[in-house]
Amino acid sequence: MNNRIAVVGAGFSGVAVAVQLLKTLRSPTTVTLLNRNTRFARGMAYGTRSASHLLNVPAGRMGIDAADEGGFLRFLQEQGIAASGSDFVPRKFFGDYLEHELERAQHEARPGVTLKLVSTQVTRLEETADGVRLACDDGWTLDASDVVLAFGNFPPQPPTAHGIWNTPLGVNDPWAPQALGNIPRDARVLLVGTGLTAVDVLLTLADRGHTGPITLLSRRGKLPQPHRLQHAPPLTRPVVVPPGRISLLQLVRLVRSGIREAARAGCDWRDVIAGLRADTPSIWERLDDAGRRQFLRHLQPFWDTHRHRTAPQTDVRLRELFASPQVSVVAARIGALTPRDATVEAAWRPRGARNVVHAEFDRVINCTGPSMDLRRVEDDLIDGLRSQHAVRVDTLGLGLTVGEGYRLQRADGSPHEHVRYVGPLLKAQWWEATAVPELRMHAAALAQSLVRDRAG
């Protein structure tokens, strides 16, 4: 019997699954963790080394295991880092913690249960008689009894079809190595997007002493709301959602009513959003396609800015930057981005206006965030899964779907026997599946299901 489990992707989801497997497996098994580069336990979120890039969840609630929420805080304190449970600390520390937990799980695993780290890019999956063969871009192959796909954050899709993204004038992926390193300090910079990615890029430029004007642009010009400073876990104000199908209009009315009631009780709108968190997957499943499309078109920017908030100290810094004439926010729909010798002419239509505004920039940076639309992602493994009809891609561009035990669903809805998925692409199925508190629960549930099935 092939006693090898392959986990593809070594960001948070892949590391969390590997840690749970190392803790849970009882019979001799090799867990092989494969990553396209050598930055294991980092991924897009925790690969940053900037002290200005903070977690947007307090340290006391960021343990890799839901049964031990305080694990990350203990790690910080053991490293001599002064932190309390309510602190929002640099994300680089969380990457250090994930590395530590992976090493610890390997050290404490039962005899015969081992971890192997392999830096390679998986390009194809092939079903075999007793499992799956993984083919990699360097010619290496691996036979495994089970595969856990744990990828999720693909480079952003260009916000326009214009060709500046293949020139030094446009940065399509701000997370690529040295993507921002060659931007002159006095450059006029346009950030397309006003969410958390734009916040990270803005802070990076500010830390480097950027002196040129910076413009942030999105359709509604909305910035992430801040967290509160508080020393205890937040209160929750559950919104009672009736069973059965629900329309988007009904849901909006319920949430607005809940916020008004919370205000009358001396609570905060954040308590209502927190109260929705556990029920969001069920609510999302009960919305029909029309309701989901309406949400994505009209309400997602409002949800994102209130649900995915910034650390309080980040908000203070942002207020200082936006109070200066150097940084501005524009609510508009982006149009053409036309290269003009060494500059870019940007055209946009301000929200609520008919006129088109033209402005000149030295650099344009795509800050729309990672792509989850597997119909448009350019990746050999995804291309192979699509061509084999081996993945059920969400028609709204939010990810993919899984069946019982997180088994990857084929295009016809049937589940793979030996291939499972965990990661932010579960957003297509449950919406609330991109943050650590949810992903760690999915990772644990997948590992338990896999181990149970192997034992059976």
Side-chain angles (χ1 to χ4, degrees):
M1 181 178 177
N2 187 336
N3 288 321
R4 185 184 298 276
I5 300 173
V7 181
V8 181
F12 175 81
S13 299
V15 170
V17 167
V19 167
Q20 292 289 346
L21 288 171
L22 292 170
K23 289 181 177 180
T24 310
L25 286 164
R26 297 182 179 278
S27 59
T29 307
T30 299
V31 177
T32 303
L33 185 59
L34 303 101
N35 202 45
R36 65 179 60 202
N37 55 49
T38 58
R39 300 167 71 194
F40 287 83
R42 295 290 170 176
M44 182 181 291
Y46 312 117
T48 175
R49 304 309 298 175
S50 171
S52 295
H53 294 165
L54 306 181
L55 293 169
N56 56 7
V57 176
R61 303 206 304 272
M62 282 289 286
I64 194 172
D65 192 330
D68 183 23
E69 279 199 330
F72 176 50
L73 180 60
R74 287 198 308 276
F75 167 80
L76 292 174
Q77 294 169 345
E78 289 167 359
Q79 300 302 308
I81 299 170
S84 68
S86 60
D87 287 342
F88 295 82
V89 302
R91 297 202 301 260
K92 62 182 180 179
F93 293 155
F94 193 69
D96 296 339
Y97 163 68
L98 294 181
E99 286 183 350
H100 173 268
E101 287 300 292
L102 192 60
E103 292 174 1
R104 185 163 74 93
Q106 180 181 15
H107 178 73
E108 296 177 356
R110 291 177 174 83
V113 176
T114 60
L115 173 68
K116 184 177 181 180
L117 305 182
V118 179
S119 179
T120 188
Q121 184 168 348
V122 178
T123 57
R124 191 170 180 85
L125 302 182
E126 302 171 359
E127 292 189 71
T128 62
D130 60 350
V132 180
R133 174 165 294 167
L134 295 84
C136 303
D137 63 349
D138 55 7
W140 187 66
T141 61
L142 174 71
D143 288 326
S145 56
D146 294 278
V147 173
V148 178
L149 300 177
F151 50 70
N153 289 323
F154 294 98
Q157 292 294 328
T160 68
H162 301 85
I164 69 159
W165 307 111
N166 296 320
T167 75
L169 299 175
V171 177
N172 184 61
D173 183 4
W175 298 113
Q178 297 302 313
L180 307 179
N182 296 322
I183 296 177
R185 288 190 176 185
D186 60 350
R188 297 163 297 178
V189 178
L190 173 63
L191 308 186
V192 182
T194 57
L196 293 175
T197 300
V199 169
D200 278 354
V201 171
L202 176 59
L203 294 178
T204 298
L205 293 175
D207 287 347
R208 293 180 177 177
H210 194 86
T211 59
I214 302 172
T215 303
L216 290 77
L217 182 148
S218 68
R219 280 197 302 147
R220 290 182 171 81
K222 290 192 168 296
L223 296 161
Q225 294 288 318
H227 280 282
R228 291 168 290 179
L229 279 171
Q230 54 183 24
H231 299 291
L235 300 172
T236 58
R237 295 273 304 187
V239 175
V240 179
V241 180
R245 285 287 182 184
I246 186 170
S247 72
L248 189 62
L249 180 59
Q250 287 176 298
L251 185 59
V252 169
R253 287 173 174 169
L254 285 170
V255 174
R256 284 178 171 170
S257 175
I259 290 173
R260 287 194 295 269
E261 292 177 7
R264 285 194 290 268
C267 296
D268 189 89
W269 60 265
R270 295 170 180 82
D271 303 322
V272 177
I273 299 299
L276 274 172
R277 189 165 184 170
D279 295 327
T280 301
S282 170
I283 294 170
W284 183 253
E285 288 184 308
R286 289 155 54 196
L287 283 174
D288 59 20
D289 282 348
R292 292 183 181 186
R293 289 182 187 278
Q294 285 180 318
F295 174 84
L296 295 173
R297 181 172 179 80
H298 300 292
L299 293 182
Q300 184 180 357
F302 299 94
W303 173 262
D304 285 348
T305 56
H306 288 79
R307 168 66 184 83
H308 302 290
R309 304 189 286 274
T310 60
Q313 55 267 54
T314 297
D315 184 64
V316 171
R317 182 114 181 262
L318 291 176
R319 289 177 184 273
E320 293 173 350
L321 288 168
F322 288 119
S324 74
Q326 181 191 9
V327 182
S328 59
V329 178
V330 175
R333 185 182 293 275
I334 192 72
L337 295 170
T338 308
R340 304 289 189 198
D341 295 327
T343 64
V344 177
E345 181 183 315
W348 63 72
R349 190 184 302 277
R351 186 168 179 80
R354 294 184 177 180
N355 62 301
V356 175
V357 173
H358 296 265
E360 195 171 24
F361 295 92
D362 301 301
R363 295 289 188 276
V364 181
I365 304 174
N366 182 4
C367 297
T368 56
S371 175
M372 294 186 175
D373 189 348
L374 297 186
R375 300 168 300 179
R376 302 176 65 193
V377 164
E378 295 181 2
D379 179 88
D380 289 341
L381 178 56
I382 299 301
D383 290 345
L385 291 172
R386 284 194 308 241
S387 65
Q388 295 169 306
H389 304 289
V391 61
R392 191 175 189 182
V393 176
D394 175 55
T395 57
L396 298 179
L398 298 175
L400 50 76
T401 57
V402 296
E404 184 179 356
Y406 296 84
R407 288 178 174 83
L408 189 68
Q409 286 188 330
R410 296 182 175 88
D412 62 5
S414 62
H416 285 265
E417 183 178 356
H418 299 289
V419 183
R420 306 179 191 229
Y421 175 80
V422 66
L425 297 181
L426 292 175
K427 184 176 184 177
Q429 193 158 341
W430 294 307
W431 185 258
E432 192 70 65
T434 60
V436 164
E438 284 74 34
L439 288 174
R440 66 189 177 194
M441 294 178 64
H442 290 308
L446 185 154
Q448 291 167 8
S449 173
L450 200 162
V451 172
R452 183 170 57 249
D453 290 347
R454 287 170 62 88

